[in-house]
Amino acid sequence: MSTLTGQRPSGPAPYRPSGPARYRPSGLTWTVLRLHRTALYVWGAALLVAAAALIWLVAAGPDARATVGGCDAADPFPMDCGTVHWTTTARIYSYGLALVSAGVTFQMFAVAVWAGAVLTGRELESGTARLAWTQSVTPARWLATRLAVPAALLTAGTALAVLLGNWTRRAGNGHLSGGWFNTNVFISSGPVAITYALAGLALGALAGLALRRALPAAAAALAAAYVLYEVLDRIRMSLWPSVTATGRAALQLPNGTLVLEQGVVSGDGRRLSNYMACSGIDNSAALGKCMRESEWTDFWTTYHPESHYWPLQLVESGLLLAVTGLAAAAAFALLRRRHA
């Protein structure tokens, strides 16, 4: 009758926050950020330190570049040119950039351990996840949020580190920052860095859901990430077709070339690898004489030019995204089977 007569129902009024608390973020996303704020602070601090270091190294780039000698265009082995005069500036630039590159490369292992031990394993072990599932949060939504929030932060932060790292490399010299095919340089300078971090996140989450205990999940996630890293490191240069040059071109490769194999061709047509007799002779007549006396008919070199950087990056990124998708799908399937 109170409603019909216009009177308010008796009892305490529902609580409505006022002031700054009224605009405080809420929801499952905010819960994930608050619950894992320590990891967020540590990761954010590491990102800020790396960014500050890279910006500082840019200022040292011109001085570091001056410590590298030029290349003689007539040199038949341009990979050997560019002598570095190791000044203090050159060492700081080279070691600093190498340290940041290693940090970006190996963050996958830290992400995998954290995702297995803290993001999923500890919450399942302590019962926090089951408590959340009783409060109008489905297991699928719980897992989706725990994967989506870190994935977004890792993508944005790693992309920033990659862009700053490439800016720093352009300010210096390739002989100081390492060749594009160097493992740490290759991973930390392109989209592969982001996909490695996402793969570590998915593998860690899967390990946590499978084992439901923090320490075993951390160990399993670390092992899975290490196996993935080693396998891709071993097959990386076979993910895109290499180029084989013969004749004089096999001896005059452009700068930035990764030589996979090289050798000579014998009189009976056999290719002998890692045998480069007569290869250090510049004069054509002397080179021809040496080849006749040695009974070699030709030179050959199998290599990856620097232009293969992006195809290799995209293929490896695709493989890592496939691993990430499979691990995430397996995690959702496991969660659905246990809590159907």
Side-chain angles (χ1 to χ4, degrees):
M1 295 297 295
S2 59
T3 303
L4 297 177
T5 59
Q7 297 178 358
R8 291 185 178 181
S10 59
Y15 172 74
R16 292 184 176 87
S18 59
R22 183 177 182 180
Y23 304 101
R24 184 176 300 166
S26 60
L28 194 55
T29 300
W30 179 246
T31 301
V32 172
L33 291 174
R34 289 194 62 187
L35 187 62
H36 302 286
R37 59 183 179 274
T38 301
L40 179 62
Y41 293 156
V42 171
W43 181 78
L47 183 62
L48 287 175
V49 170
L54 289 171
I55 294 173
W56 182 81
L57 288 173
V58 168
D63 292 335
R65 191 188 306 118
T67 65
V68 181
C71 297
D72 185 359
D75 190 339
F77 297 101
M79 288 289 289
D80 295 335
C81 68
T83 302
V84 179
H85 307 287
W86 283 106
T87 63
T88 301
T89 301
R91 292 183 187 278
I92 291 175
Y93 178 89
S94 180
Y95 295 161
L97 187 54
L99 184 61
V100 174
S101 298
V104 174
T105 299
F106 297 122
Q107 76 164 333
M108 174 184 69
F109 301 113
V111 171
V113 170
W114 172 77
V118 180
L119 186 65
T120 55
R122 188 178 68 182
E123 292 201 27
L124 291 170
E125 184 178 13
S126 63
T128 306
R130 191 171 295 277
L131 177 63
W133 300 339
T134 62
Q135 298 178 351
S136 302
V137 177
T138 64
R141 185 186 171 203
W142 172 86
L143 179 58
T145 305
R146 270 152 181 74
L147 289 176
V149 174
L153 294 174
L154 285 170
T155 299
T158 306
L160 176 62
V162 168
L163 292 174
L164 288 175
N166 290 339
W167 179 41
T168 306
R169 289 186 183 90
R170 285 194 295 270
N173 186 283
H175 293 279
L176 295 174
S177 59
W180 64 270
F181 44 81
N182 177 276
T183 298
N184 287 355
V185 174
F186 183 85
I187 294 178
S188 65
S189 62
V192 165
I194 299 173
T195 54
Y196 264 108
L198 296 179
L201 175 66
L203 290 173
L206 177 59
L209 287 169
L211 299 176
R212 292 183 289 184
R213 294 176 59 194
L215 291 181
L222 181 61
Y226 177 76
V227 169
L228 177 64
Y229 171 86
E230 283 293 328
V231 168
L232 289 177
D233 192 46
R234 291 177 183 275
I235 69 171
R236 175 172 297 123
M237 293 306 161
S238 63
L239 296 177
W240 193 257
S242 58
V243 176
T244 298
T246 58
R248 192 71 176 175
L251 305 178
Q252 295 180 323
L253 301 175
N255 285 324
T257 296
L258 170 63
V259 175
L260 301 176
E261 198 174 11
Q262 59 186 1
V264 296
V265 180
S266 63
D268 56 3
R270 291 182 299 116
R271 281 189 174 184
L272 304 178
S273 62
N274 300 321
Y275 192 94
M276 294 300 292
C278 307
S279 59
I281 302 175
D282 291 340
N283 185 276
S284 298
L287 179 61
K289 179 182 178 182
C290 178
M291 291 181 68
R292 287 191 299 272
E293 292 176 350
S294 304
E295 299 183 352
W296 309 132
T297 60
D298 205 354
F299 300 100
W300 62 274
T301 302
T302 300
Y303 66 96
H304 276 299
E306 193 170 2
S307 60
H308 284 188
Y309 168 83
W310 277 110
L312 288 167
Q313 278 274 337
L314 295 177
V315 172
E316 187 167 347
S317 296
L319 290 175
L320 285 164
L321 287 177
V323 171
T324 302
L326 289 174
F332 277 102
L334 181 62
L335 190 64
R336 189 181 307 111
R337 189 183 69 179
R338 286 180 175 171
H339 304 283

